[in-house]
Amino acid sequence: TGQVFTNTLSPLCMSYIVTPLLARMYARTQVTQEALNAVYVLPNWNLSLRLAQTLNVIFCIMMYSGGMPILYPIGMVYCFVAYWLDKFCLLRGSRRPPASNQDVMRMAMHMMPWAAFLHVAVAA
């Protein structure tokens, strides 16, 4: 459950706590407009990192839920909270992400049968 909180709250903390504090600290020391603009730039949105973290949580939940059924509701809550926090952070607290195609998500969806296999292998 610790990974659930660190995965969902770290991008939000970077966007709404760390970046404004750094901007407040370094804003008075900048002497040019370009340097001041660089201080107020929002952090990048890293799609591949967020996808890897989400897949890690989903695989752990699928693998161990045969022995610990409480992981199913925990996984549901994680998916719900991660969706809304990622959406909020992506739309309001980060830069526009670079354009990407569906290959990353397609690769993630092709890994889901392995999660089902691990679920069956560990539960049996």
Side-chain angles (χ1 to χ4, degrees):
T1 58
Q3 189 174 16
V4 170
F5 293 115
T6 59
N7 286 348
T8 54
L9 294 179
S10 62
L12 202 63
C13 289
M14 283 300 293
S15 295
Y16 291 102
I17 296 172
V18 175
T19 301
L21 285 175
L22 290 174
R24 185 174 294 253
M25 283 178 18
Y26 293 121
R28 297 182 191 251
T29 62
Q30 305 302 319
V31 293
T32 64
Q33 185 64 42
E34 291 84 20
L36 192 59
N37 288 345
V39 168
Y40 284 100
V41 169
L42 293 171
N44 286 325
W45 178 257
N46 194 346
L47 175 66
S48 59
L49 176 65
R50 285 297 299 136
L51 183 62
Q53 290 171 339
T54 301
L55 282 176
N56 188 8
V57 170
I58 288 173
F59 266 68
C60 287
I61 287 170
M62 288 297 292
M63 192 163 75
Y64 296 118
S65 61
M68 293 183 284
I70 191 70
L71 289 177
Y72 289 126
I74 290 173
M76 184 185 70
V77 168
Y78 169 77
C79 289
F80 180 79
V81 169
Y83 171 77
W84 285 105
L85 288 180
D86 285 348
K87 182 177 178 178
F88 184 73
C89 189
L90 177 63
L91 294 177
R92 307 215 178 205
S94 64
R95 285 192 239 174
R96 181 183 293 246
S100 61
N101 55 11
Q102 69 271 12
D103 292 339
V104 175
M105 293 307 293
R106 204 172 270 171
M107 185 263 319
M109 292 310 299
H110 286 301
M111 294 175 79
M112 283 301 150
W114 287 103
F117 173 74
L118 287 173
H119 176 72
V120 170
V122 171

